[in-house]
Amino acid sequence: LPIFIVPEGASSEGSVTGGALRNAVQLLPSPLVSIRCSMNSFATDYTVKALLGAVAEFRRQGYTGELMVGDLSLRDGGKYKLHKSHQSGRDADIWLLTKSKTYKQDCHNCSTKKCRPEPADVDWNDQWRFIKALDATGQVQEIFLSDWLQPKLFEAAKSQGATPEELKRMIQHPRKPGYPALVMHSDGHIHHIH
């Protein structure tokens, strides 16, 4: 796997819903990740290191498909049109992983080069392994995924040997939204995790 040197010194100011970003680090396309839009791929060095660490571990385990990082923050943080958060370099949207291991070309809905995956296209086994890699960094506090998709993640986790304790700690389902877990409900997270 490639070795990345991430510049240090970026600082997150304020909250994820009312903050700014100073001396931002830009996450660029690489053999590890694709980037939806480089204008929106700024974060703290802490966030970039944690994200690349999880992706590298996931790749080390054998994943060879495309992995798309959607939105992080703007260069200086602050309000970001379609997001309530993403203001201080600590948030990352990562597209759900597909069965085909790649994303469809030329999206007609949002005029981007790649299309966000539909729930029917998701490889939930790969998605579970990636969430475990994110969790293994010890840096990820919350992951958002719409509650109606969580049963698919839950079943994939069970099929891969997740213990009842691990399931309870990591996936909100089958409990109602509001129950604390690593993967929790947030409206609109149907094409990506946050």
Side-chain angles (χ1 to χ4, degrees), residues 6-13 21-25 43-46 49:
V6 178
E8 296 187 2
S11 64
S12 175
E13 298 176 1
L21 180 58
R22 302 290 175 246
N23 301 313
V25 173
T44 65
D45 48 289
Y46 184 86
K49 286 178 188 176

Side-chain angles (χ1 to χ4, degrees):
L1 292 172
I3 296 173
F4 292 90
I5 298 171
V6 178
E8 296 187 2
S11 64
S12 175
E13 298 176 1
S15 70
V16 296
T17 57
L21 180 58
R22 302 290 175 246
N23 301 313
V25 173
Q26 187 176 26
L27 181 62
L28 296 172
S30 73
L32 291 180
V33 295
S34 297
I35 305 297
R36 185 190 68 80
C37 177
S38 60
M39 299 285 292
N40 309 325
S41 67
F42 293 91
T44 65
D45 48 289
Y46 184 86
T47 300
V48 170
K49 286 178 188 176
L51 179 56
L52 287 177
V55 172
E57 172 58 22
F58 185 51
R59 297 264 187 219
R60 189 192 65 73
Q61 294 172 13
Y63 185 75
T64 58
E66 189 172 13
L67 197 154
M68 181 71 73
V69 174
D71 296 333
L72 297 174
S73 291
L74 302 174
R75 181 185 297 272
D76 295 320
K79 290 201 182 285
Y80 188 174
K81 56 184 174 184
L82 301 175
H83 299 286
K84 292 179 185 174
S85 60
H86 290 266
Q87 292 195 24
S88 56
R90 297 181 295 204
D91 299 277
D93 285 346
I94 305 164
W95 289 9
L96 295 174
L97 303 172
T98 64
K99 295 171 188 171
S100 66
K101 310 296 187 233
T102 189
Y103 301 102
K104 294 177 184 172
Q105 297 286 330
D106 301 320
C107 185
H108 300 290
N109 294 326
C110 62
S111 70
T112 58
K113 291 182 181 178
K114 301 276 185 157
C115 292
R116 296 182 305 170
E118 293 300 324
D121 299 329
V122 175
D123 185 321
W124 293 103
N125 289 315
D126 281 344
Q127 195 64 50
W128 170 245
R129 286 191 293 276
F130 181 55
I131 286 173
K132 283 183 64 174
L134 288 167
D135 181 54
T137 67
Q139 315 290 324
V140 178
Q141 296 176 345
E142 298 171 333
I143 296 173
F144 298 119
L145 178 68
S146 290
D147 58 352
W148 63 275
L149 293 175
Q150 290 184 31
K152 296 175 184 300
L153 182 67
F154 187 87
E155 290 306 316
K158 274 180 56 176
S159 75
Q160 293 181 55
T163 65
E165 295 79 19
E166 187 177 25
L167 291 168
K168 184 176 182 180
R169 179 181 70 81
M170 292 185 68
I171 305 174
Q172 192 174 60
H173 175 81
R175 295 166 297 277
K176 299 209 180 291
Y179 187 90
L182 178 66
V183 177
M184 294 187 292
H185 170 72
S186 182
D187 289 333
H189 292 85
I190 58 174
H191 306 285
H192 67 282
I193 56 172
H194 170 109

